[in-house]
Amino acid sequence: MNQAVRFHDQHVVEAQTSFRDAVIAGLSATPKSLSPKFFYDRRGSLLFESICQQPEYYLTRTEECILVDASDEIAALVGPDSLLVELGSGASRKIRLLLEAMRPSRYLGIDISRDFLLESTRRLAADYPWLEVHAAWADFSRRLALPDGIAGQRTVAFFPGSSIGNFEPPAAQAFLARLRQVLPDGSGVLIGVDLVKDRAVLEAAYNDAAGVTAAFNLNLLERLHRELGVEVEPENFDHLAYYNEAESRIEMHLVSRCRQTLRLEEGHFALEEGERLHTENSCKYSIAGFQALAKRAGYEPTAVWTDPRHLFSVHYLSI
Ligand code: AVI
């Protein structure tokens, strides 16, 4: 098998222009907000990988244990020779836990961070010579399409890490419903979902002692400077993350330490001392609550796996 990665340059221009427009819209809104998808430039993607190693961030290692324990059952549900599509593939680490058991014929990694996507899919192609590896640089939260030539094959969409939690529930349902439309009959979705739990455990995960999550949050400001030339001093902001119990979600904000103005081209965006820029929601679910959402999106929840402490869940949703 040829070990080159087949690269599909799907919606690149759209992703670049949408960043500038979204920043202007987000800084003009009340309260100010930016989409968490903009965290993931190269530095943000590396910081996220580091978050996943932090002792407080239980999500990654718990999901990995669940996947390892359930890999044979997952493989039996899915069957061999499928197309395995990873949404937000990042470092393509978790997929390695499933490849030997599942034996798909093709893998497609889709990510918004181009360099990261290319590096990780090249490594995957080198390590699994029997696998046909594809990479699509795309913003799947805006437009979801499988590249020509590989659409139509029975597919498993792998959406790990509780990234679905970064959509609010109505948007999560709409996203899953859109995903369903591009998957052929007999396909399914394997999705990691973080569970509601003790506030202290949740808040520690988003306020790690090493300050990596804070650096990840503040990197958004550095990205505004690097890519859009926004005049902004990250040291004039604090990282804030807390559990909003009424909404079952962790909220992340950047809090202005002083009265200041951010400048982007002709636009001036004033912030008061203490004013927040809302950067992320990370929604947490009960197992039954997530299954109900998946049903509303048109899926049949077929299997669910969790860990002994019920920190995290992995669901298989059939079409
Ligand atoms: C990618 N996503 C599921 C992470 C989360 O937990 O919501 C992003 C993250 N934000 C702060 N720490 C990690």
Side-chain angles (χ1 to χ4, degrees):
M1 172 69 67
N2 180 356
Q3 290 176 17
V5 173
R6 282 92 165 155
F7 183 62
H8 307 270
D9 200 347
Q10 283 192 310
H11 314 304
V12 181
V13 175
E14 193 178 326
Q16 293 295 6
T17 51
S18 69
F19 180 42
R20 180 188 160 280
D21 293 350
V23 168
I24 291 173
L27 293 179
S28 307
T30 312
K32 294 181 173 51
S33 67
L34 290 175
S35 165
K37 72 184 177 192
F38 298 124
F39 282 134
Y40 302 94
D41 64 347
R42 187 176 158 71
R43 178 154 187 269
S45 297
L46 289 169
L47 283 166
F48 179 63
E49 289 307 307
S50 175
I51 287 175
C52 294
Q53 314 291 320
Q54 298 308 306
E56 298 91 339
Y57 196 75
Y58 60 85
L59 289 82
T60 310
R61 61 175 182 277
T62 309
E63 184 179 46
E64 288 179 358
C65 286
I66 295 172
L67 290 173
V68 168
D69 288 351
S71 58
D72 289 340
E73 283 178 62
I74 294 168
L77 268 173
V78 170
D81 295 325
S82 54
L83 162 66
L84 184 51
V85 176
E86 187 173 14
L87 301 167
S89 52
S92 300
R93 233 162 48 97
K94 288 175 190 162
I95 203 67
R96 290 167 183 260
L97 304 172
L98 296 174
L99 284 175
E100 290 296 349
M102 280 175 73
R103 286 271 160 176
S105 54
R106 284 174 170 156
Y107 167 85
L108 168 68
I110 307 181
D111 206 283
I112 197 168
S113 180
R114 186 178 187 278
D115 295 348
F116 216 64
L117 172 73
L118 281 176
E119 280 168 32
S120 56
T121 47
R122 276 186 192 129
R123 278 198 303 271
L124 205 67
D127 293 346
Y128 296 88
W130 49 266
L131 186 65
E132 188 181 304
V133 177
H134 295 251
W137 181 26
D139 177 358
F140 61 78
S141 71
R142 282 171 66 94
R143 231 168 87 186
L144 202 55
L146 297 180
D148 291 344
I150 60 172
Q153 186 177 359
R154 188 169 46 85
T155 303
V156 185
F158 181 47
F159 197 28
S162 203
S163 294
I164 193 71
N166 296 135
F167 296 96
E168 286 166 51
Q173 185 183 321
F175 173 75
L176 288 174
R178 281 206 312 280
L179 176 59
R180 194 186 179 291
Q181 298 307 313
V182 301
L183 298 177
D185 286 348
S187 299
V189 176
L190 184 66
I191 184 165
V193 181
D194 197 16
L195 298 175
V196 169
K197 62 183 66 63
D198 227 46
R199 169 185 296 275
V201 177
L202 283 167
E203 290 188 345
Y206 292 82
N207 290 283
D208 59 277
V212 184
T213 308
F216 174 73
N217 199 6
L218 288 159
N219 179 57
L220 196 48
L221 299 172
E222 288 165 33
R223 187 173 178 200
L224 294 186
H225 177 68
R226 276 194 300 270
E227 291 184 28
L228 302 178
V230 176
E231 291 173 32
V232 53
E233 302 290 340
E235 53 273 23
N236 286 344
F237 288 84
D238 286 320
H239 161 73
L240 173 69
Y242 63 92
Y243 186 51
N244 178 338
E245 199 167 342
E247 301 286 348
S248 294
R249 69 189 189 202
I250 286 281
E251 292 188 12
M252 289 214 316
H253 300 260
L254 290 160
V255 186
S256 180
R257 300 178 77 155
C258 56
R259 199 169 190 183
Q260 57 182 316
T261 301
L262 307 187
R263 294 188 171 80
L264 169 53
E265 296 166 13
E266 309 303 292
H268 289 197
F269 305 96
L271 284 117
E272 295 301 322
E273 182 180 343
E275 189 175 342
R276 295 175 182 182
L277 176 55
H278 190 168
T279 51
E280 186 176 64
N281 289 322
S282 191
C283 299
K284 311 301 171 186
Y285 290 90
S286 65
I287 286 178
F290 185 75
Q291 287 179 329
L293 183 145
K295 276 190 187 166
R296 290 196 297 275
Y299 295 87
E300 185 55 46
T302 305
V304 58
W305 301 270
T306 185
D307 55 289
R309 292 176 61 201
H310 294 278
L311 294 174
F312 199 90
S313 59
V314 174
H315 299 247
Y316 189 77
L317 312 174
S318 308
I319 288 181

Short mmCIF file of all heavy atoms in Angstrom, two decimals, residues 39 199 202-208 211-218 221 234 236-244 249-257 274-282:
data_model
loop_
_atom_site.label_atom_id
_atom_site.label_comp_id
_atom_site.label_asym_id
_atom_site.label_seq_id
_atom_site.Cartn_x
_atom_site.Cartn_y
_atom_site.Cartn_z
N PHE A 39 -9.32 28.25 19.13
CA PHE A 39 -8.18 27.90 19.99
C PHE A 39 -7.09 27.17 19.21
O PHE A 39 -5.93 27.19 19.58
CB PHE A 39 -8.62 26.93 21.11
CG PHE A 39 -9.34 27.57 22.26
CD1 PHE A 39 -10.49 26.99 22.76
CD2 PHE A 39 -8.85 28.71 22.87
CE1 PHE A 39 -11.16 27.54 23.84
CE2 PHE A 39 -9.50 29.27 23.95
CZ PHE A 39 -10.67 28.68 24.44
N ARG A 199 -18.63 19.19 41.17
CA ARG A 199 -18.07 20.47 40.73
C ARG A 199 -16.55 20.54 40.90
O ARG A 199 -15.83 21.02 40.02
CB ARG A 199 -18.72 21.59 41.56
CG ARG A 199 -18.07 22.95 41.41
CD ARG A 199 -18.71 23.95 42.36
NE ARG A 199 -20.10 24.16 42.03
CZ ARG A 199 -20.54 25.03 41.10
NH1 ARG A 199 -19.68 25.77 40.45
NH2 ARG A 199 -21.82 25.17 40.86
N LEU A 202 -14.67 18.72 38.18
CA LEU A 202 -14.81 19.44 36.91
C LEU A 202 -13.95 20.70 36.89
O LEU A 202 -13.23 20.96 35.93
CB LEU A 202 -16.28 19.82 36.69
CG LEU A 202 -17.20 18.71 36.23
CD1 LEU A 202 -18.66 19.13 36.36
CD2 LEU A 202 -16.90 18.33 34.78
N GLU A 203 -14.05 21.47 37.97
CA GLU A 203 -13.34 22.76 37.95
C GLU A 203 -11.82 22.55 37.98
O GLU A 203 -11.08 23.30 37.34
CB GLU A 203 -13.83 23.65 39.09
CG GLU A 203 -15.26 24.12 38.79
CD GLU A 203 -15.80 25.17 39.74
OE1 GLU A 203 -15.22 25.36 40.83
OE2 GLU A 203 -16.83 25.78 39.40
N ALA A 204 -11.36 21.51 38.68
CA ALA A 204 -9.91 21.24 38.70
C ALA A 204 -9.41 20.92 37.29
O ALA A 204 -8.31 21.32 36.90
CB ALA A 204 -9.62 20.08 39.65
N ALA A 205 -10.24 20.21 36.51
CA ALA A 205 -9.82 19.79 35.17
C ALA A 205 -9.57 20.99 34.25
O ALA A 205 -8.80 20.90 33.28
CB ALA A 205 -10.86 18.86 34.55
N TYR A 206 -10.24 22.11 34.53
CA TYR A 206 -10.12 23.29 33.66
C TYR A 206 -9.30 24.41 34.33
O TYR A 206 -9.26 25.54 33.84
CB TYR A 206 -11.51 23.78 33.24
CG TYR A 206 -12.17 22.76 32.31
CD1 TYR A 206 -12.82 21.63 32.84
CD2 TYR A 206 -12.09 22.90 30.94
CE1 TYR A 206 -13.38 20.68 32.01
CE2 TYR A 206 -12.65 21.95 30.09
CZ TYR A 206 -13.29 20.83 30.63
OH TYR A 206 -13.83 19.89 29.80
N ASN A 207 -8.69 24.06 35.47
CA ASN A 207 -7.81 25.00 36.19
C ASN A 207 -6.59 24.23 36.67
O ASN A 207 -6.29 24.22 37.86
CB ASN A 207 -8.55 25.62 37.38
CG ASN A 207 -9.66 26.57 36.95
OD1 ASN A 207 -9.39 27.69 36.55
ND2 ASN A 207 -10.91 26.12 37.03
N ASP A 208 -5.90 23.55 35.74
CA ASP A 208 -4.78 22.71 36.16
C ASP A 208 -3.70 23.55 36.83
O ASP A 208 -3.49 24.71 36.49
CB ASP A 208 -4.21 21.95 34.95
CG ASP A 208 -3.73 22.90 33.87
OD1 ASP A 208 -4.57 23.36 33.08
OD2 ASP A 208 -2.53 23.20 33.84
N GLY A 211 -1.01 25.44 34.93
CA GLY A 211 -1.40 26.63 34.17
C GLY A 211 -1.49 26.41 32.66
O GLY A 211 -1.51 27.37 31.88
N VAL A 212 -1.59 25.16 32.23
CA VAL A 212 -1.62 24.90 30.78
C VAL A 212 -2.96 25.34 30.18
O VAL A 212 -3.01 25.92 29.09
CB VAL A 212 -1.35 23.40 30.48
CG1 VAL A 212 -1.29 23.18 28.97
CG2 VAL A 212 -0.05 22.95 31.13
N THR A 213 -4.06 25.09 30.90
CA THR A 213 -5.37 25.51 30.37
C THR A 213 -5.43 27.04 30.30
O THR A 213 -5.99 27.61 29.35
CB THR A 213 -6.52 24.95 31.22
OG1 THR A 213 -6.33 23.54 31.36
CG2 THR A 213 -7.86 25.22 30.59
N ALA A 214 -4.83 27.70 31.28
CA ALA A 214 -4.80 29.17 31.24
C ALA A 214 -4.02 29.63 30.01
O ALA A 214 -4.46 30.54 29.28
CB ALA A 214 -4.16 29.71 32.53
N ALA A 215 -2.88 28.99 29.74
CA ALA A 215 -2.07 29.37 28.57
C ALA A 215 -2.84 29.11 27.28
O ALA A 215 -2.76 29.90 26.32
CB ALA A 215 -0.75 28.60 28.58
N PHE A 216 -3.60 28.03 27.25
CA PHE A 216 -4.42 27.66 26.09
C PHE A 216 -5.48 28.74 25.84
O PHE A 216 -5.68 29.19 24.70
CB PHE A 216 -5.05 26.31 26.42
CG PHE A 216 -6.06 25.77 25.45
CD1 PHE A 216 -5.67 25.26 24.22
CD2 PHE A 216 -7.42 25.71 25.80
CE1 PHE A 216 -6.61 24.71 23.35
CE2 PHE A 216 -8.35 25.17 24.94
CZ PHE A 216 -7.95 24.67 23.70
N ASN A 217 -6.11 29.18 26.90
CA ASN A 217 -7.15 30.21 26.79
C ASN A 217 -6.51 31.53 26.32
O ASN A 217 -6.98 32.17 25.37
CB ASN A 217 -7.81 30.36 28.17
CG ASN A 217 -9.18 31.03 28.12
OD1 ASN A 217 -9.71 31.29 27.05
ND2 ASN A 217 -9.74 31.31 29.29
N LEU A 218 -5.39 31.90 26.95
CA LEU A 218 -4.73 33.17 26.61
C LEU A 218 -4.10 33.15 25.21
O LEU A 218 -3.93 34.20 24.58
CB LEU A 218 -3.66 33.49 27.66
CG LEU A 218 -4.23 33.90 29.02
CD1 LEU A 218 -3.21 33.71 30.14
CD2 LEU A 218 -4.71 35.36 28.99
N LEU A 221 -5.71 35.14 22.47
CA LEU A 221 -5.36 36.56 22.31
C LEU A 221 -4.08 36.69 21.48
O LEU A 221 -3.97 37.57 20.63
CB LEU A 221 -5.17 37.21 23.68
CG LEU A 221 -6.40 37.21 24.59
CD1 LEU A 221 -6.03 37.70 25.98
CD2 LEU A 221 -7.50 38.10 23.99
N PRO A 234 -1.79 40.04 26.27
CA PRO A 234 -2.39 38.92 27.01
C PRO A 234 -2.25 39.07 28.53
O PRO A 234 -3.11 38.59 29.27
CB PRO A 234 -1.63 37.70 26.48
CG PRO A 234 -1.16 38.11 25.14
CD PRO A 234 -0.87 39.57 25.21
N ASN A 236 -2.85 41.48 30.22
CA ASN A 236 -3.96 42.30 30.73
C ASN A 236 -5.25 41.48 30.91
O ASN A 236 -6.32 42.05 31.11
CB ASN A 236 -4.24 43.47 29.79
CG ASN A 236 -3.17 44.54 29.90
OD1 ASN A 236 -2.41 44.55 30.88
ND2 ASN A 236 -3.08 45.41 28.92
N PHE A 237 -5.13 40.15 30.79
CA PHE A 237 -6.32 39.28 30.94
C PHE A 237 -6.02 38.14 31.91
O PHE A 237 -4.88 37.66 31.99
CB PHE A 237 -6.71 38.67 29.59
CG PHE A 237 -7.32 39.67 28.65
CD1 PHE A 237 -6.51 40.47 27.85
CD2 PHE A 237 -8.70 39.81 28.55
CE1 PHE A 237 -7.06 41.40 26.98
CE2 PHE A 237 -9.26 40.74 27.67
CZ PHE A 237 -8.44 41.53 26.90
N ASP A 238 -7.05 37.69 32.62
CA ASP A 238 -6.96 36.50 33.47
C ASP A 238 -7.80 35.38 32.86
O ASP A 238 -8.87 35.63 32.28
CB ASP A 238 -7.52 36.79 34.87
CG ASP A 238 -6.58 37.64 35.68
OD1 ASP A 238 -5.35 37.39 35.61
OD2 ASP A 238 -7.06 38.54 36.39
N HIS A 239 -7.33 34.15 33.07
CA HIS A 239 -8.10 32.95 32.70
C HIS A 239 -9.15 32.69 33.79
O HIS A 239 -8.85 32.77 34.97
CB HIS A 239 -7.12 31.78 32.62
CG HIS A 239 -7.76 30.42 32.70
ND1 HIS A 239 -8.48 29.88 31.67
CD2 HIS A 239 -7.77 29.49 33.70
CE1 HIS A 239 -8.91 28.67 32.02
NE2 HIS A 239 -8.49 28.40 33.25
N LEU A 240 -10.39 32.40 33.37
CA LEU A 240 -11.45 32.05 34.33
C LEU A 240 -12.18 30.82 33.79
O LEU A 240 -12.61 30.80 32.63
CB LEU A 240 -12.44 33.22 34.46
CG LEU A 240 -13.71 32.95 35.28
CD1 LEU A 240 -13.37 32.79 36.78
CD2 LEU A 240 -14.73 34.09 35.10
N ALA A 241 -12.31 29.78 34.64
CA ALA A 241 -13.08 28.59 34.27
C ALA A 241 -13.88 28.14 35.47
O ALA A 241 -13.32 27.98 36.56
CB ALA A 241 -12.15 27.48 33.79
N TYR A 242 -15.18 27.95 35.29
CA TYR A 242 -16.01 27.49 36.42
C TYR A 242 -17.18 26.67 35.89
O TYR A 242 -17.54 26.75 34.70
CB TYR A 242 -16.53 28.68 37.24
CG TYR A 242 -17.43 29.60 36.46
CD1 TYR A 242 -18.81 29.43 36.46
CD2 TYR A 242 -16.89 30.64 35.70
CE1 TYR A 242 -19.64 30.25 35.72
CE2 TYR A 242 -17.71 31.47 34.96
CZ TYR A 242 -19.08 31.28 34.97
OH TYR A 242 -19.89 32.09 34.23
N TYR A 243 -17.79 25.89 36.80
CA TYR A 243 -18.92 25.05 36.42
C TYR A 243 -20.22 25.82 36.59
O TYR A 243 -20.53 26.28 37.70
CB TYR A 243 -18.93 23.77 37.27
CG TYR A 243 -20.00 22.78 36.83
CD1 TYR A 243 -20.10 22.40 35.50
CD2 TYR A 243 -20.88 22.23 37.75
CE1 TYR A 243 -21.07 21.49 35.09
CE2 TYR A 243 -21.85 21.31 37.35
CZ TYR A 243 -21.94 20.96 36.01
OH TYR A 243 -22.90 20.07 35.59
N ASN A 244 -20.97 25.97 35.53
CA ASN A 244 -22.30 26.57 35.57
C ASN A 244 -23.29 25.40 35.70
O ASN A 244 -23.60 24.73 34.71
CB ASN A 244 -22.53 27.37 34.28
CG ASN A 244 -23.92 27.98 34.22
OD1 ASN A 244 -24.85 27.52 34.88
ND2 ASN A 244 -24.06 29.02 33.41
N ARG A 249 -22.50 22.97 32.42
CA ARG A 249 -21.35 23.19 31.54
C ARG A 249 -20.24 23.94 32.27
O ARG A 249 -20.50 24.77 33.15
CB ARG A 249 -21.76 23.97 30.28
CG ARG A 249 -22.15 25.40 30.55
CD ARG A 249 -22.75 26.06 29.32
NE ARG A 249 -22.92 27.49 29.51
CZ ARG A 249 -23.77 28.24 28.82
NH1 ARG A 249 -24.53 27.68 27.89
NH2 ARG A 249 -23.85 29.54 29.04
N ILE A 250 -19.01 23.61 31.86
CA ILE A 250 -17.87 24.44 32.24
C ILE A 250 -17.86 25.63 31.30
O ILE A 250 -18.04 25.48 30.09
CB ILE A 250 -16.54 23.65 32.09
CG1 ILE A 250 -16.38 22.61 33.20
CG2 ILE A 250 -15.35 24.59 32.03
CD1 ILE A 250 -15.90 23.16 34.54
N GLU A 251 -17.68 26.80 31.85
CA GLU A 251 -17.53 28.00 31.02
C GLU A 251 -16.10 28.50 31.15
O GLU A 251 -15.56 28.55 32.26
CB GLU A 251 -18.48 29.11 31.48
CG GLU A 251 -19.92 28.77 31.22
CD GLU A 251 -20.86 29.95 31.49
OE1 GLU A 251 -20.38 31.10 31.66
OE2 GLU A 251 -22.07 29.71 31.53
N MET A 252 -15.49 28.88 30.04
CA MET A 252 -14.18 29.54 30.09
C MET A 252 -14.34 30.96 29.57
O MET A 252 -15.05 31.20 28.59
CB MET A 252 -13.14 28.79 29.25
CG MET A 252 -12.74 27.48 29.86
SD MET A 252 -11.01 26.98 29.59
CE MET A 252 -10.71 27.33 27.89
N HIS A 253 -13.65 31.85 30.26
CA HIS A 253 -13.68 33.27 29.89
C HIS A 253 -12.26 33.83 29.98
O HIS A 253 -11.42 33.28 30.70
CB HIS A 253 -14.56 34.07 30.87
CG HIS A 253 -15.99 33.60 30.92
ND1 HIS A 253 -17.01 34.23 30.25
CD2 HIS A 253 -16.57 32.58 31.59
CE1 HIS A 253 -18.16 33.62 30.50
NE2 HIS A 253 -17.92 32.60 31.31
N LEU A 254 -12.04 34.96 29.31
CA LEU A 254 -10.86 35.79 29.54
C LEU A 254 -11.38 37.06 30.17
O LEU A 254 -12.29 37.70 29.64
CB LEU A 254 -10.15 36.08 28.21
CG LEU A 254 -9.46 34.85 27.59
CD1 LEU A 254 -9.19 35.06 26.10
CD2 LEU A 254 -8.16 34.54 28.33
N VAL A 255 -10.84 37.40 31.33
CA VAL A 255 -11.37 38.54 32.09
C VAL A 255 -10.39 39.70 31.99
O VAL A 255 -9.20 39.56 32.30
CB VAL A 255 -11.58 38.15 33.58
CG1 VAL A 255 -12.27 39.30 34.32
CG2 VAL A 255 -12.39 36.87 33.69
N SER A 256 -10.90 40.83 31.57
CA SER A 256 -10.06 42.01 31.40
C SER A 256 -9.60 42.52 32.77
O SER A 256 -10.42 42.76 33.66
CB SER A 256 -10.84 43.10 30.66
OG SER A 256 -10.02 44.23 30.51
N ARG A 257 -8.28 42.69 32.94
CA ARG A 257 -7.74 43.15 34.24
C ARG A 257 -7.82 44.66 34.37
O ARG A 257 -7.53 45.20 35.43
CB ARG A 257 -6.28 42.73 34.37
CG ARG A 257 -6.11 41.23 34.29
CD ARG A 257 -4.66 40.84 34.37
NE ARG A 257 -4.22 40.93 35.74
CZ ARG A 257 -3.21 40.25 36.23
NH1 ARG A 257 -2.53 39.44 35.46
NH2 ARG A 257 -2.86 40.39 37.48
N GLY A 274 -12.75 43.93 34.48
CA GLY A 274 -13.64 42.85 34.93
C GLY A 274 -14.55 42.31 33.83
O GLY A 274 -15.23 41.30 34.03
N GLU A 275 -14.59 42.98 32.70
CA GLU A 275 -15.46 42.49 31.60
C GLU A 275 -14.90 41.18 31.03
O GLU A 275 -13.70 40.98 30.94
CB GLU A 275 -15.55 43.55 30.49
CG GLU A 275 -16.60 43.18 29.46
CD GLU A 275 -16.81 44.27 28.40
OE1 GLU A 275 -16.41 45.44 28.62
OE2 GLU A 275 -17.38 43.92 27.34
N ARG A 276 -15.84 40.30 30.65
CA ARG A 276 -15.43 38.98 30.20
C ARG A 276 -15.57 38.80 28.69
O ARG A 276 -16.51 39.30 28.09
CB ARG A 276 -16.31 37.91 30.85
CG ARG A 276 -16.14 37.83 32.34
CD ARG A 276 -17.14 36.83 32.88
NE ARG A 276 -17.04 36.75 34.33
CZ ARG A 276 -17.77 35.92 35.07
NH1 ARG A 276 -18.65 35.11 34.51
NH2 ARG A 276 -17.61 35.90 36.38
N LEU A 277 -14.63 38.03 28.17
CA LEU A 277 -14.72 37.55 26.78
C LEU A 277 -14.95 36.04 26.92
O LEU A 277 -14.08 35.32 27.42
CB LEU A 277 -13.38 37.88 26.10
CG LEU A 277 -13.13 37.42 24.69
CD1 LEU A 277 -14.21 37.90 23.74
CD2 LEU A 277 -11.77 37.99 24.22
N HIS A 278 -16.14 35.59 26.52
CA HIS A 278 -16.53 34.18 26.70
C HIS A 278 -15.88 33.35 25.59
O HIS A 278 -16.16 33.57 24.42
CB HIS A 278 -18.06 34.11 26.64
CG HIS A 278 -18.63 32.80 27.05
ND1 HIS A 278 -19.96 32.60 27.28
CD2 HIS A 278 -18.06 31.60 27.30
CE1 HIS A 278 -20.18 31.35 27.64
NE2 HIS A 278 -19.03 30.71 27.65
N THR A 279 -15.03 32.40 25.98
CA THR A 279 -14.26 31.67 24.97
C THR A 279 -14.70 30.22 24.77
O THR A 279 -14.37 29.62 23.74
CB THR A 279 -12.76 31.70 25.31
OG1 THR A 279 -12.58 31.27 26.66
CG2 THR A 279 -12.18 33.09 25.14
N GLU A 280 -15.38 29.63 25.76
CA GLU A 280 -15.74 28.22 25.57
C GLU A 280 -16.83 27.79 26.53
O GLU A 280 -16.86 28.20 27.69
CB GLU A 280 -14.51 27.32 25.80
CG GLU A 280 -14.76 25.85 25.48
CD GLU A 280 -13.52 24.99 25.61
OE1 GLU A 280 -13.00 24.88 26.74
OE2 GLU A 280 -13.08 24.44 24.60
N ASN A 281 -17.72 26.94 26.04
CA ASN A 281 -18.60 26.13 26.88
C ASN A 281 -18.21 24.68 26.67
O ASN A 281 -17.92 24.27 25.53
CB ASN A 281 -20.07 26.28 26.47
CG ASN A 281 -20.61 27.64 26.83
OD1 ASN A 281 -20.29 28.19 27.88
ND2 ASN A 281 -21.43 28.20 25.96
N SER A 282 -18.19 23.94 27.74
CA SER A 282 -17.90 22.50 27.63
C SER A 282 -19.03 21.78 28.37
O SER A 282 -19.00 21.64 29.60
CB SER A 282 -16.52 22.24 28.26
OG SER A 282 -16.09 20.95 27.96
#
